Each structure stands twice: as structure tokens, then as C-alpha cells.
């Protein structure tokens, strides 16, 4: 069975050489690395090589996957023509939560946090769908982003 290819960035060395994700097992390894790795490297930026590039040479989309292993929750965002973030049932009680790509924070609405099992499922769907927005989770349009 063939799978699409996704490039992931969440550590400093990925700026020059992104992590390549090809299989559901690779997705699990990525989520595990985010959930159990350094506190300030718990968010990855993913791009599918199955989608067209913009005339500028940049991807026409961005899928972000965050994982908090201690609380077993995470966040998702998907950007192409519009911006979306995952929609959880309650949130962490605050107005915003931060996840980090190479120590750079990205703030999400607290309502964006979903169970880690759904984060895994969505990342696998992104991989297998050729880079489309996963439909296994609910989405919200953030007020500020």
C-alpha cells in the first residue's frame, strides 16, 4: 500500500532537512516525539508533497499538529484559502494555550485542544488524503489568527 509523503518541521535541524512522513507508523512516531520530547518542541508544521506549490515555490497549505503528552491532548490547525483550528469540547479553562515549534510559541484558543487520539487520527488522514483538511475532527475559524 502506498502512502503520500508529508514533510514535517519541528526541530531546528528540520529547517535544512525536514522529517519525511510516509506511513501511519511514521505519524505515530512523530506524535510520540512531540508528546514526549522537549517542552518547547511540541508543535510540528506539515506540508503534503501531493499538493501544488504556489508560483512563489511555497506550499499552498499548512497543517500544524501539536501534542501535550502529559495531558494527552493536542491541537490542529489547517490553513489554505481559510484558517481553521480544531474544536474540542471544553478547553483547558483559559483563553489561549501555547504550543511551540523550535521554542517559537503559537497560541491557540483553549477550545482548540482535542484528545491526543484524535490528533493522531487527523494526522493520518492528512497523510492518506494527499494533504486535504481532515474530516475526522470538528473545526472552528479562529477569531484572531
Amino acid at each position: 500500500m502506498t502512502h503520500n509523503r508529508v514533510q514535517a518541521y519541528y526541530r531546528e535541524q528540520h529547517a535544512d532537512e525536514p522529517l519525511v512522513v510516509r506511513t501511519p507508523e511514521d505519524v505515530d512516531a512523530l506524535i510520540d516525539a512531540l508528546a514526549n520530547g522537549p517542552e518547547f518542541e511540541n508543535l510540528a508544521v506539515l506540508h503534503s508533497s501531493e499538493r501544488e506549490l504556489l508560483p512563489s515555490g511555497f506550499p499552498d497549505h499548512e497543517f500544524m499538529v501539536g501534542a501535550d503528552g502529559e495531558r494527552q491532548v493536542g491541537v490542529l490547525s489547517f490553513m489554505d484559502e481559510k484558517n481553521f483550528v480544531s474544536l474540542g469540547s471544553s478547553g483547558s479553562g483559559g483563553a489561549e494555550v501555547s504550543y511551540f515549534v523550535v521554542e517559537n510559541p503559537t497560541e491557540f484558543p483553549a477550545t482548540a485542544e482535542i484528545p491526543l487520539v484524535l490528533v493522531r487520527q487527523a494526522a493520518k488522514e492528512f497523510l492518506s488524503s494527499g494533504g486535504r483538511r481532515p474530516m475526522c475532527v470538528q473545526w472552528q475559524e479562529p477569531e484572531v489568527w
Side-chain angles (χ1 to χ4, degrees):
M1 179 179 207
T2 60
H3 293 279
N4 297 319
R5 195 175 78 166
V6 168
Q7 295 180 332
Y9 307 84
Y10 66 96
R11 293 198 171 131
E12 193 170 338
Q13 67 263 28
H14 296 149
D16 296 323
E17 189 174 330
L19 175 72
V20 177
V21 178
R22 291 188 174 92
T23 66
E25 294 78 19
D26 291 345
V27 170
D28 284 331
L30 169 65
I31 302 298
D32 289 344
L34 295 172
N36 302 315
E39 179 182 0
F40 296 106
E41 290 182 352
N42 64 354
L43 181 67
V45 177
L46 282 64
H47 298 119
S48 174
S49 62
E50 302 297 314
R51 291 183 55 148
E52 295 292 322
L53 296 176
L54 296 171
S56 64
F58 290 100
D60 71 342
H61 68 289
E62 182 173 275
F63 183 55
M64 296 177 87
V65 177
D68 182 329
E70 186 175 313
R71 296 186 303 121
Q72 289 295 296
V73 297
V75 293
L76 302 169
S77 74
F78 186 85
M79 294 171 245
D80 59 4
E81 294 174 10
K82 287 182 140 185
N83 295 340
F84 296 95
V85 295
S86 46
L87 176 62
S89 59
S90 62
S92 64
E96 294 179 335
V97 291
S98 294
Y99 284 77
F100 301 84
V101 177
V102 193
E103 299 185 10
N104 294 304
T106 300
E107 293 183 349
F108 293 83
T111 57
E113 289 191 315
I114 60 174
L116 204 50
V117 66
L118 280 177
V119 171
R120 287 181 192 277
Q121 185 179 345
K124 290 174 184 178
E125 186 177 335
F126 177 78
L127 173 69
S128 68
S129 72
R132 290 193 294 271
R133 180 166 49 103
M135 300 308 295
C136 64
V137 298
Q138 291 185 315
W139 297 95
Q140 61 183 320
E141 290 186 52
E143 290 180 25
V144 178
W145 241 48

